[in-house]
Amino acid sequence: MGRISAQERRESVIRAAVAEFARTGYHGTSTAAIAKRVGVTQPYLFRLFPDKKAIFVAALVRSIEDTRLAFERAAEGAEGGGEGVLQAMTNAYTQLILKRPETLLMQMQGYVAVAAAEAQGDDLIGEVVRAGWTRIWETVHQPLGADADKTASFFACGMLGNTLTAIGLPASAGK
C-alpha cells in the first residue's frame, strides 16, 4: 500500500469529524476522538487543521455540500417537470439520510452551535451555516420553478422529517 497524501488524510479527518460531531456536538467531541477514528495522532490533526473549530467548520461545510449536491443531482436527473423534480429531490434526500444520517445530524449540530458561538462574539459558524443554507435553498428553489411557496413547503416537510429522524422516530410518525 502506498502512502496516503495529506489531502486524502484531510478527507478522512473530515469524514471522521462529521461522524463524531454529529453524535456529540462541538463541545462534546474531542479532537482525540476524531484522531482515534482516523488512526492518527492529535498533533497530526493540527498539521492539517489549525484548531478544533476549523475541523468543525470543515465537517459542517462537507455535510451541507453533500446535501446540496444530492438535491442538485436529483433535479438534474428528474423527469416529469415540477412534480418529478420535487419527488426526485425528496427521494434523494431520504436516501442520503437513511444511508448517512450523520450528514443531517452534523447540520443540526451546526445550527445549535451558531447561537452559542455568536453569544461569545464568534460569527464564523453562523456565516458558514447561513451561506450553506442559502446555497441549498437556491439549489432547490430554481428546479421548483422559483416558486417560493413550493420551496418553503418542501423545506417545511423536510424539517419535520429531520426532526423525527433526530429524535429517533420514523418519518411516518409525521403523517
Side-chain angles (χ1 to χ4, degrees):
M1 248 170 120
R3 288 179 48 101
I4 296 175
S5 72
Q7 185 58 34
E8 290 169 320
R9 186 66 74 189
R10 184 177 167 82
E11 291 300 315
S12 296
V13 169
I14 292 170
R15 283 191 305 275
V18 167
E20 291 294 327
F21 286 126
R23 263 182 346 100
T24 54
Y26 181 78
H27 293 290
T29 299
S30 68
T31 55
I34 296 168
K36 181 178 178 183
R37 184 179 278 263
V38 178
V40 299
T41 64
Q42 276 183 289
Y44 187 78
L45 280 184
F46 296 116
R47 289 196 344 235
L48 299 171
F49 296 91
D51 54 25
K52 179 180 172 180
K53 185 169 79 170
I55 299 169
F56 183 80
V57 167
L60 186 55
V61 167
R62 171 59 50 78
S63 68
I64 290 169
E65 186 61 9
D66 285 351
T67 300
R68 192 196 69 72
L69 286 171
F71 290 138
E72 180 178 84
R73 290 177 185 131
E76 288 172 354
E79 296 178 12
E83 285 305 311
V85 169
L86 182 67
Q87 193 59 54
M89 288 192 296
T90 299
N91 292 344
Y93 187 66
T94 300
Q95 288 306 304
L96 174 66
I97 299 313
L98 286 173
K99 290 178 183 171
R100 295 181 15 230
E102 67 275 7
T103 302
L104 160 66
L105 298 174
M106 179 67 218
Q107 287 175 58
M108 294 185 95
Q109 292 290 354
Y111 301 156
V112 170
V114 170
E118 288 182 351
Q120 296 177 359
D122 182 355
D123 294 335
L124 176 62
I125 294 170
E127 290 168 5
V128 167
V129 167
R130 287 184 287 273
W133 174 253
T134 300
R135 285 191 308 277
I136 290 173
W137 173 276
E138 290 167 354
T139 299
V140 169
H141 187 61
Q142 293 308 316
L144 292 180
D147 182 315
D149 289 337
K150 259 189 193 173
T151 306
S153 179
F154 177 82
F155 281 107
C157 289
M159 214 42 200
L160 174 60
N162 290 348
T163 301
L164 294 172
T165 298
I167 64 174
L169 290 175
S172 61
K175 294 182 180 174

